[in-house]
């Protein structure tokens, strides 16, 4: 399994859903992950993350310096790929996200790998041409949602073979609902995730407590978000997955104000804890959200978000939302067992 980044001790909260895919693949056979760790120095590391062996190069990384970073990344990915083709000798190769990790496999393994696409930037600028090259070199292209499948096919003209949901390992059982009036946001502090919209809705709901979890994105947006944080809001920064799951269990509702989601991992994990979701339509979550496990915001305004939160609490208090049914709904769609079956279909059939 090849990724561009993977959880590690310095940043355990980076792309944890890649680790979930690796754990699913372990149900099928022996797995090794090759990846890069973005840091401030060069190096090499082998480690085990939640039972999954990982081999990684450390690489200095500066955002928006692709002209320097991309050639280095391609060189290091190529070395790891060729080394493992000779020593690990995999029966199947899965690349997670076309760019940049998929470029060396597209060069050295023409039609010899399956691509699972998660990215929202696959068609941005030069990415479109590179994405077509990688997808054209893959044996099959899978997308993590019906929405992303449609986006890839319409914007790149590439056939997508099927949908591979992100597997849900969230809570081991649905948490009993008790009104804590604590509401959770999980996502990067960026314009796409738009936590400022929820922050403004929080001003209209002073009797509720809002917790925001996620790493920073564009500096100006983070500053703007923090500058106006009202007393009933708290920003906790990025947290490891086990801490996010604990907060989901301790909260009543997850709110997503995202403009664009290729899947919506945090939303799916909230459902696995038996928690309903308040969401603005962002694409990917349409596959698994419905009126029995969520409330959809009618328009992108603070008032509409506040109204959706009030409606959710009314339904919770009246017993409309059943935690066990909410959990069952997401496991039926994206349990590790179901995702493993999808992998078997596309890796070893046809």
């Amino acid at each position: 399994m090849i990724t561009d980044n993977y959880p590690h001790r310095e940043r355990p909260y980076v792309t944890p859903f890649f680790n979930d895919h690796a754990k699913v693949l372990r149900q099928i056979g022996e797995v090794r992950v090759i990846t890069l760790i973005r840091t401030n120095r060069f190096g090499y590391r082998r480690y085990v993350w939640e039972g999954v062996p990982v081999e990684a190069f450390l690489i200095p990384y500066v955002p928006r310096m692709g002209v320097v970073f991309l050639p280095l990344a391609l060189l290091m990915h190529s070395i790891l790929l060729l080394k493992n083709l000779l020593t690990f000798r995999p029966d199947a190769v899965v690349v997670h996200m076309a760019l940049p990790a998929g470029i060396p496999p597209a060069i050295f393994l023409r039609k010899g790998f399956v691509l699972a696409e998660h990215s929202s930037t696959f068609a941005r600028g030069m990415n479109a041409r590179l994405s077509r090259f990688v997808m054209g070199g893959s044996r099959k292209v899978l997308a993590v949602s019906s929405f992303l499948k449609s986006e890839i096919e319409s914007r790149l003209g590439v056939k997508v073979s099927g949908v591979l949901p992100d597997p849900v390992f969230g809570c081991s059982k649905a948490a009993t609902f008790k009104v804590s009036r604590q509401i959770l946001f999980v996502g990067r502090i960026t314009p796409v995730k738009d936590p400022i919209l929820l922050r403004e809705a929080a001003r209209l709901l002073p009797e509720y407590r809002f917790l925001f979890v996620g790493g920073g994105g564009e500096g100006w947006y983070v500053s703007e978000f923090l500058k106006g944080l009202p007393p009933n809001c708290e920003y906790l920064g990025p947290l490891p997955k086990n801490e996010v799951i604990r907060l989901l269990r301790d909260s009543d509702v997850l709110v997503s104000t995202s403009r664009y989601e290729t899947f919506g991992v945090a939303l799916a994990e909230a459902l696995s804890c038996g928690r309903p979701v308040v969401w603005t339509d962002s694409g990917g979550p349409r596959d698994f959200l419905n009126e029995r496990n969520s409330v959809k915001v009618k328009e992108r305004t603070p008032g509409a978000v506040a109204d959706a939160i009030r409606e959710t609490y009314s339904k919770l208090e009246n017993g409309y939302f059943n935690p066990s049914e909410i959990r069952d709904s997401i496991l039926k769609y994206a349990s590790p067992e179901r995702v493993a079956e999808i992998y078997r279909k596309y890796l070893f059939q046809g």
Side-chain angles (χ1 to χ4, degrees), residues 232-267:
N232 62 332
C233 293
E234 183 179 0
Y235 174 51
L236 303 179
L239 294 175
K241 182 175 179 177
N242 62 328
E243 285 297 305
V244 174
I245 297 298
R246 181 186 64 79
L247 286 171
L248 284 170
R249 291 181 62 88
D250 291 344
S251 302
D252 301 324
V253 178
L254 177 82
V255 178
S256 170
T257 49
S258 184
R259 299 175 185 276
Y260 192 104
E261 292 282 352
T262 57
F263 179 76
V265 172
L267 287 73

Side-chain angles (χ1 to χ4, degrees), residues 14-235:
V14 169
T15 52
F17 48 88
F18 286 163
N19 179 238
D20 291 340
H21 279 271
K23 288 189 292 186
V24 165
L25 286 167
R26 288 183 69 211
Q27 298 180 20
I28 301 173
E30 185 181 356
V31 176
R32 181 176 297 175
V33 173
I34 60 176
T35 190
L36 302 183
I37 296 176
R38 300 179 183 185
T39 180
N40 57 3
R41 61 189 176 88
F42 289 103
Y44 171 80
R45 182 183 297 173
R46 297 185 75 168
Y47 62 102
V48 176
W49 193 264
E50 296 185 8
V52 178
V54 183
E55 186 171 3
F57 273 128
L58 281 66
I59 180 171
Y61 177 74
V62 178
R64 291 178 290 279
M65 286 292 290
V67 67
V68 175
F69 171 71
L70 182 59
L72 286 173
L74 297 183
L75 174 63
M76 290 183 162
H77 272 303
S78 297
I79 293 171
L80 287 174
L81 173 64
L82 295 174
K83 175 181 180 295
N84 279 275
L85 290 175
L86 293 172
T87 59
F88 186 61
R89 297 185 178 182
D91 296 309
V93 177
V94 182
V95 175
H96 279 269
M97 295 214 303
L99 304 178
I103 297 177
I107 295 172
F108 298 109
L109 292 174
R110 294 292 292 182
K111 303 300 181 180
F113 66 97
V114 169
L115 172 68
E117 188 56 80
H118 305 248
S119 176
S120 62
T121 62
F122 66 90
R124 184 182 300 170
M126 184 64 179
N127 287 1
R129 182 174 299 178
L130 293 173
S131 293
R132 284 194 193 94
F133 171 72
V134 174
M135 293 176 184
S138 68
R139 183 163 60 87
K140 293 183 186 296
V141 178
L142 305 175
V144 292
S145 67
S146 302
F147 169 72
L148 184 59
K149 177 179 183 292
S150 176
E151 287 277 281
I152 293 171
E153 290 180 338
S154 63
R155 298 175 69 179
L156 296 184
V158 172
K159 176 177 171 51
V160 177
S161 298
V163 173
L164 177 77
D166 284 318
V168 178
F169 281 91
C171 290
S172 57
K173 63 179 181 179
T176 304
F177 173 65
K178 52 182 185 294
V179 181
S180 67
R181 294 195 178 273
Q182 178 171 290
I183 296 167
L184 188 63
F185 171 96
V186 179
R188 286 175 61 77
I189 309 303
T190 64
V192 172
K193 303 294 185 180
D194 201 11
I196 288 178
L197 177 58
L198 180 57
R199 183 198 70 185
E200 294 308 297
R203 298 187 194 279
L204 307 175
L205 300 167
E207 68 274 26
Y208 295 90
R209 182 186 183 210
F210 293 79
L211 301 180
F212 293 80
V213 175
E218 292 90 335
W220 67 268
Y221 189 87
V222 177
S223 299
E224 182 67 22
F225 167 72
L226 293 174
K227 182 173 61 178
L229 219 56
N232 62 332
C233 293
E234 183 179 0
Y235 174 51

Side-chain angles (χ1 to χ4, degrees), residues 24 27 163-165 167 330-344:
V24 165
Q27 298 180 20
V163 173
L164 177 77
I330 190 61
L331 293 184
K332 184 178 180 180
Y333 178 68
S335 68
E337 293 75 20
R338 181 171 186 266
V339 176
E341 285 304 312
I342 296 172
Y343 267 118
R344 288 188 181 96

